[in-house]
Amino acid sequence: MSSEFEYYPDQPIHTECQNAYTILCNAHDAASSFLQTYNDVRTNRGARGTPTDEEQDLLRAMLLFASAGLDSMSKQLIREVLPKVLEHNEPASDRFQTFIERHLRDGQGISGRTVAKILANKNPRNQLIDSYVRELTSRSLQSVDEIFKAGAAFDLPSRDISPTPNDLREVFKTRNQIAHEMDVDFARSNRSRRSRSLRNMKAMTNTIFRASSAILAGVDSKVDA
């Protein structure tokens, strides 16, 4: 289906990025479906003014699926593309080396048994790359800091991912309010849910998709560069 949002991703050049591209396209499809359902419900009841809480739930789901798509796509790129980028990209390789130094220095952060397993492996480098990938994908990539960290692993500047990081930070704040607090405003005496408008929620979803598309395109450009 065609996306209701901006920043639909371009088809990647390299096959290594294809699965991540598919994930991002599906995130667009899901978010677009929620938006279309919202519009249909409003049209069918001839609604005007503030949407009902049930209608706002469709907007909340729209943002959650877009954010989940960013997380899933980024982790897919780390698993499938980062090992190849590390073969020839010097800044990315330097960050990988820093990871090795941090985790192997005096056994800090890693058990002696794990160190022995790595050194005994016939390909210790691949074993260390696996550990690096696990570390980068072990946490949710639904925060500005974690997304920028994942991008840096590919030698992607944060400004290329998001030229307006404060806007992206605000989006993740909203995402967390919805996902972890059910969007309840505990500061209010009646603890009612926060009001979410179509305009703001669509803008925030576009912000997520802008960052997602930038990461995919950036990583695609690093595969053999």
Side-chain angles (χ1 to χ4, degrees):
M1 62 182 293
S2 60
S3 180
E4 297 285 339
F5 300 93
E6 301 173 36
Y7 309 107
Y8 196 83
D10 294 328
Q11 177 79 34
I13 297 172
H14 301 94
T15 57
E16 292 91 343
C17 298
Q18 184 60 46
N19 288 336
Y21 169 75
T22 299
I23 290 171
L24 184 52
C25 289
N26 285 335
H28 268 271
D29 289 348
S32 296
S33 179
F34 283 117
L35 180 56
Q36 185 60 57
T37 301
Y38 170 89
N39 289 329
D40 289 346
V41 169
R42 297 277 289 173
T43 298
N44 290 340
R45 74 180 186 88
R48 293 183 179 181
T50 304
T52 66
D53 236 358
E54 290 77 11
E55 290 165 351
Q56 290 181 54
D57 279 340
L58 293 168
L59 302 179
R60 295 179 178 109
M62 175 182 77
L63 181 63
L64 289 180
F65 269 72
S67 185
L70 171 59
D71 176 273
S72 181
M73 178 209 70
S74 299
K75 289 178 178 177
Q76 195 73 25
L77 290 170
I78 291 169
R79 296 186 189 101
E80 295 189 342
V81 187
L82 183 57
K84 184 167 185 178
V85 172
L86 291 175
E87 293 176 4
H88 58 79
N89 184 286
E90 186 172 347
S93 182
D94 287 346
R95 292 187 69 88
F96 175 47
Q97 181 176 329
T98 298
F99 162 82
I100 296 173
E101 292 172 352
R102 186 177 75 249
H103 284 266
L104 297 185
R105 185 187 304 120
D106 300 325
Q108 293 178 11
I110 191 168
S111 69
R113 179 170 182 163
T114 301
V115 173
K117 182 178 179 181
I118 291 171
L119 296 178
N121 191 280
K122 63 181 180 180
N123 195 327
R125 176 179 169 81
N126 285 348
Q127 190 83 7
L128 287 166
I129 289 175
D130 288 345
S131 296
Y132 189 39
V133 167
R134 283 196 298 273
E135 178 181 269
L136 290 170
T137 58
S138 63
R139 293 179 292 275
S140 170
L141 302 184
Q142 298 185 75
S143 73
V144 171
D145 292 343
E146 291 298 329
I147 282 295
F148 284 176
K149 179 180 177 182
F154 290 96
D155 187 31
L156 292 181
S158 59
R159 64 180 179 277
D160 289 354
I161 297 173
S162 176
T164 56
N166 286 337
D167 290 346
L168 187 58
R169 202 177 304 277
E170 191 63 29
V171 171
F172 283 126
K173 177 182 176 181
T174 298
R175 178 263 171 197
N176 290 339
Q177 288 171 339
I178 295 170
H180 302 307
E181 302 171 7
M182 295 307 297
D183 225 8
V184 174
D185 188 350
F186 294 101
R188 296 184 181 182
S189 59
N190 60 357
R191 297 188 177 182
S192 60
R193 301 178 80 188
R194 298 175 179 87
S195 181
R196 302 296 183 185
S197 70
L198 171 62
R199 179 179 178 181
N200 287 342
M201 294 295 280
K202 189 171 181 180
M204 285 192 283
T205 302
N206 274 323
T207 297
I208 288 288
F209 283 138
R210 179 174 65 178
S212 302
S213 183
I215 291 171
L216 179 61
V219 170
D220 191 36
S221 72
K222 299 286 185 179
V223 172
D224 54 15

